[in-house]
Amino acid sequence: MADLIQIRVKNFRAFREAGFDLPTHGLVLVTGQNNAGKSALLSAPRRRRRPD
């Protein structure tokens, strides 16, 4: 099983470019105002194109 250690997005929904590193253990809390892109940022890894 692989661990997700960072998220980087570019030209994805409301983000020109954003990213952050994730801790190897513990809890990650994502906060922000409505329509700030919290859900979009967390859905980015699911939408990543798989290599051919």
Side-chain angles (χ1 to χ4, degrees):
M1 184 170 148
D3 292 331
L4 182 62
I5 58 171
Q6 71 177 201
I7 295 177
R8 302 266 183 248
V9 293
K10 189 171 186 178
N11 298 323
F12 181 73
R13 295 191 184 175
F15 298 98
R16 277 196 188 149
E17 191 167 350
F20 56 92
D21 296 325
L22 298 168
T24 55
H25 61 278
L27 178 68
V28 175
L29 178 65
V30 180
T31 63
Q33 297 178 346
N34 290 343
N35 292 320
K38 299 176 298 289
S39 296
L41 189 60
L42 295 175
S43 70
R46 288 188 309 212
R47 296 185 179 261
R48 182 174 181 254
R49 287 179 43 173
R50 295 175 189 239
D52 294 332

